[in-house]
């Protein structure tokens, strides 16, 4: 693996959040004795503005939603959710962030990325880069030598990839790890056996999605990220994303796209408006229909019998589109898995859809709106943590401070390590990597996390302490990841050498180093 992101695969761990029990519902206040206003219903394909430069807001009542019940929903939400955004008729009625995640920072989409990848295929079709979904997959790779060639593999089509019915021998995450350990990920996928007839059997397989990303590059000459910047993110007004790529420069088609929740919602709005955006038809209506209809899975979208559909990823990354209600819902977090019947699916059916009271406006409810706004503010407030007294530094702290340790060659690509103590309550840890990139983490010594930019433009929090006279420990966690990723890094100092131990769900990596001469 040749990128900074790949070298940091050792620096990740999964800790799942949990949802608290449901509180008893409050008794709703009676509506005021005023006439019910009637606002025009804005239907898909006729929005009164486009959110390219940003979303407009309204009260819930203006969009037929009860603000008091929406405030009760805020009481129900707890650990494991990072953000929740509800948009009806093109207007934001709820935009909530839960500490430590904050508005405007990027969030990992996990497998919700797949719906973006398939959308790029639809755009490439609209632009004539791809002839049709019935094209055989191997036709996109005429110069490749393919192992395990068979009549079934030759018959496998682009649509088979889109619908997870390729027949590729895929064994979930274990196959993903094997792919990522190979020098050419696309070749690895193409060489996998096809063990069922394409089009006959559904098997959720991330390799299908990565091959879609590779096909975008083969047909447009651009990576999925570059193609999206020009033909999707640009028109939709999505300015800030990160998306890692494989050793050949293909964006990860199955996951790890990062963007802000406001921008996630724009993909849903594009589909709600049947591929049209501000006078441009980015993808055909026929594509939108094909992508979002079927039994339970379309073109990398999950489908509901009601006609709703959604992008989903592990941890609760969801983009819901409910056409009959002119509704978009976006949620991010660290709660459980994605897919049908996951936490986000249950939240939609049991909590959010029942909030929709009318297709026209309800009577104003200033008290309900004020209650909702106060709960949104409270959710974003930092958790009060009383700083602890920092114990005296051990004697070795002075001799290791601001020294650079050159590390032995290692799988994480860490070239050097240094630790400094600029103020009594804070340390600074610096890692430099083989590709000359570096990370600088402030570390709270008073038991309070210090936040800083982390991997892929996400946020990171860290605190640390001296575990013994010569061992310094760092606890670090990512914010905005699809899973609450944390790690423990311990640095054992002995004269001119250091031994780093990085512990996470992937195991323990030990890296030794010596003071730079």
């Amino acid at each position: 693996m040749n990128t900074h992101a790949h070298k940091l695969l050792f620096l990740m761990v999964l800790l799942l959040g949990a949802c608290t029990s449901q509180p008893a519902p409050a008794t709703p206040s009676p509506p005021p004795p005023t006439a019910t206003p009637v606002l025009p219903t804005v239907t898909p394909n006729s929005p009164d503005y486009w959110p390219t430069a940003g979303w407009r807001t309204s009260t819930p009542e203006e969009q037929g939603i009860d603000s008091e019940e929406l405030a009760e929903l805020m009481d129900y939400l707890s650990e494991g959710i990072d953000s929740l955004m509800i948009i009806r008729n093109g207007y934001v009625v709820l935009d909530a962030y839960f500490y430590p995640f904050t508005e405007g920072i990027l969030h990992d989409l996990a497998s919700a990325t797949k719906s973006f990848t398939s959308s790029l295929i639809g755009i490439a079709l609209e632009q004539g880069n791809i002839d049709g979904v019935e094209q055989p997959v191997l036709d996109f790779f005429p110069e490749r030598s393919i192992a395990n060639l068979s009549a079934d593999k030759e018959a496998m089509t682009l649509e088979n990839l889109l619908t997870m019915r390729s027949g590729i021998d895929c064994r979930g995450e274990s196959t993903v790890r094997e792919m990522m350990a190979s020098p050419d990920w696309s070749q690895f996928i193409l060489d996998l056996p096809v063990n069922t007839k394409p089009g006959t059997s559904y098997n959720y397989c991330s390799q299908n999605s990565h091959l879609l990303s590779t096909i975008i590059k083969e047909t447009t000459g651009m990576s999925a990220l570059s193609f999206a910047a020009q033909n999707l993110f640009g028109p939709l007004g999505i300015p800030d994303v990160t998306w890692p790529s494989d050793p050949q420069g293909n964006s990860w088609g199955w996951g790890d796209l990062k963007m802000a929740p406001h921008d996630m919602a724009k993909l849903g709005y594009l589909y709600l408006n049947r591929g049209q955006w501000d006078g441009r038809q980015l993808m055909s209506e026929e594509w939108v229909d094909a992508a979002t209809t079927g039994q339970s899975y379309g073109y990398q979208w999950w489908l509901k019998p009601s006609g709703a559909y959604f992008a989903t990823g592990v941890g609760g990354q969801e983009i819901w589109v409910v056409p009959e209600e002119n509704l978009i819902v976006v949620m991010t977090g660290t709660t459980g898995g994605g897919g049908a019947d996951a936490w986000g699916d249950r939240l939609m059916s049991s909590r959010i859809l029942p909030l929709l009271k009318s297709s026209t406006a309800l009577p104003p409810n200033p008290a309900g709106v004020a209650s909702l706004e106060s709960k949104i503010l409270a959710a974003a407030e930092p958790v009060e943590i009383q700083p602890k007294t920092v114990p005296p530094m051990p004697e070795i702290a002075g001799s290791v401070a601001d020294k650079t340790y050159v590390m032995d060659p290692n799988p994480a690509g860490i070239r050097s390590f240094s630790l400094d103590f600029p103020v009594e309550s804070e340390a600074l840890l610096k890692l430099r990597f083989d590709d000359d990139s570096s990370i600088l983490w402030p570390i709270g010594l008073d038991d309070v996390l210090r936040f800083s930019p982390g991997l892929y433009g996400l946020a990171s929090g860290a605190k640390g302490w001296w575990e013994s006279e010569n061992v310094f420990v760092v606890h670090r966690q990512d914010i905005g990841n699809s899973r609450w990723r944390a790690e423990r890094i311990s640095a054992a100092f002995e004269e001119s050498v250091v031994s780093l131990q990085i512990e996470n769900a992937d195991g323990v990596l030990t890296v030794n180093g010596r003071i730079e001469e």
Side-chain angles (χ1 to χ4, degrees), residues 228-447:
Q230 182 174 311
N231 299 286
L232 180 62
F233 300 155
L236 269 54
I238 300 177
D240 189 13
V241 302
T242 67
W243 200 356
S245 58
D246 70 10
Q248 283 67 48
N250 299 296
S251 307
W252 292 12
W254 79 94
D256 281 33
L257 175 62
K258 280 88 175 171
M259 66 173 56
H262 276 212
D263 292 331
M264 294 169 63
K266 292 178 179 178
L267 182 70
Y269 202 58
L270 174 65
Y271 273 78
L272 184 66
N273 287 282
R274 300 181 57 73
Q276 182 190 125
W277 192 274
D278 198 10
R280 294 179 59 184
Q281 196 71 41
L282 300 186
M283 59 184 68
S284 70
E285 293 191 10
E286 291 77 15
W287 171 269
V288 173
D289 289 339
T292 60
T293 55
Q295 291 298 314
S296 60
Y297 197 81
Y299 289 175
Q300 314 272 291
W301 287 90
W302 294 78
L303 313 177
K304 303 297 288 184
S306 64
Y309 48 93
F310 61 106
T312 183
V314 68
Q317 324 319 315
E318 312 260 330
I319 306 171
W320 279 80
V321 183
V322 188
E324 68 175 10
E325 297 289 357
N326 214 357
L327 181 74
I328 305 291
V329 176
V330 169
M331 59 189 85
T332 63
T334 58
T335 303
D341 300 321
W343 182 80
D345 193 357
R346 295 192 297 273
L347 181 67
M348 281 293 297
S349 60
S350 66
R351 294 283 173 173
I352 294 178
L353 291 177
L355 296 171
L356 309 179
K357 304 300 183 184
S358 172
S359 61
T360 57
L362 300 174
N365 186 352
V369 171
S371 174
L372 176 61
E373 289 177 348
S374 69
K375 291 182 179 182
I376 292 172
L377 289 173
E381 282 294 315
V383 177
E384 290 295 332
I385 300 175
Q386 188 64 33
K388 294 181 179 179
T389 301
V390 179
M393 294 279 185
E395 183 177 346
I396 199 171
S399 61
V400 304
D402 207 24
K403 297 290 194 303
T404 297
Y405 290 82
V406 178
M407 311 308 292
D408 295 341
N410 58 88
I414 302 172
R415 179 192 296 175
S416 66
F417 159 85
S418 64
L419 187 67
D420 195 15
F421 304 93
V423 294
E424 181 185 9
S425 62
E426 196 167 284
L428 286 174
L429 183 151
K430 184 175 183 178
L431 298 174
R432 183 169 290 279
F433 297 88
D434 290 338
D435 61 1
D436 287 329
S437 61
S438 63
I439 286 178
L440 183 66
W441 284 324
I443 300 165
L445 302 179
D446 52 6
D447 201 37

Side-chain angles (χ1 to χ4, degrees), residues 199-216:
T200 62
S201 178
Y202 171 87
N203 181 26
Y204 189 82
C205 178
S206 290
Q207 279 71 28
N208 291 331
S209 307
H210 192 62
L211 209 52
L212 292 174
S213 173
T214 305
I215 288 170
I216 290 166

Side-chain angles (χ1 to χ4, degrees), residues 445-461:
L445 302 179
D446 52 6
D447 201 37
V448 179
L449 292 171
R450 300 297 194 271
F451 296 105
S452 62
L455 306 180
Y456 311 116
L458 303 180
S460 176

Side-chain angles (χ1 to χ4, degrees), residues 31-38 361-364:
T34 57
T36 302
V38 178
L362 300 174

